Amino acid sequence: MRQPGKPARPAAMPIGLAFSLTLLISVLAARTAQAQQPVAPAMPGEVLAFDRSKGNCLTCHVIKGGDAPGNVGPELSNMKDRYADRKELHAIIFDETKRNPQTVMPPFGRNLILTDQEIEAVIDFLYTR
């Protein structure tokens, strides 16, 4: 019973409810901290490689980090090991028909789809995969 002049004592919170609330607050705090971490901006070559209207590499290739890749061309992984000579990879992207006349890969440089600078940016990006 409450004595006059004394505030009412709050009811005890069940231990299970207290634990659940503590867990919920911890999860929300962790998510907030993750959301506040800065995201590194995409490399220019990544933007080009994943752009469906420009480089469009994902139409035919699997590239780590890309969505809805194709399977016509080889997976673009370990590119720095596979093409230690940047000039060779540049030539392939610029005009693969010179090396393989039967290729279905568009000649991105010859057809002015990508500039030399853009091809170099794509190579910089592929070398990180």
Side-chain angles (χ1 to χ4, degrees):
M1 179 175 276
R2 189 173 140 212
Q3 293 179 357
K6 283 192 171 181
R9 199 170 101 190
M13 183 183 297
I15 293 175
L17 179 60
F19 177 76
S20 296
L21 287 174
T22 302
L23 182 62
L24 177 63
I25 291 169
S26 297
V27 168
L28 291 174
R31 283 190 177 177
T32 302
Q34 286 176 342
Q36 291 174 351
Q37 291 178 354
V39 176
M43 298 176 69
E46 179 179 3
V47 173
L48 288 166
F50 292 171
D51 185 340
R52 297 289 181 173
S53 65
K54 186 76 171 168
N56 205 16
C57 302
L58 287 172
T59 296
C60 299
H61 302 279
V62 172
I63 304 173
K64 184 179 177 183
D67 293 328
N71 61 2
V72 175
E75 182 173 340
L76 301 181
S77 60
N78 302 315
M79 299 303 285
K80 197 168 191 173
D81 294 334
R82 291 169 50 196
Y83 296 97
D85 182 0
R86 288 179 69 95
K87 291 178 185 175
E88 181 182 3
L89 186 52
H90 188 282
I92 290 169
I93 297 170
F94 189 88
D95 186 0
E96 172 64 351
T97 63
K98 287 184 177 180
R99 190 176 80 142
N100 176 7
Q102 301 303 313
T103 188
V104 295
M105 182 169 170
F108 287 95
R110 189 187 79 203
N111 285 356
L112 305 176
I113 299 167
L114 297 174
T115 66
D116 280 329
Q117 184 178 3
E118 290 171 327
I119 292 172
E120 286 299 318
V122 169
I123 293 170
D124 288 342
F125 164 65
L126 292 176
Y127 271 15
T128 68
R129 298 296 183 227

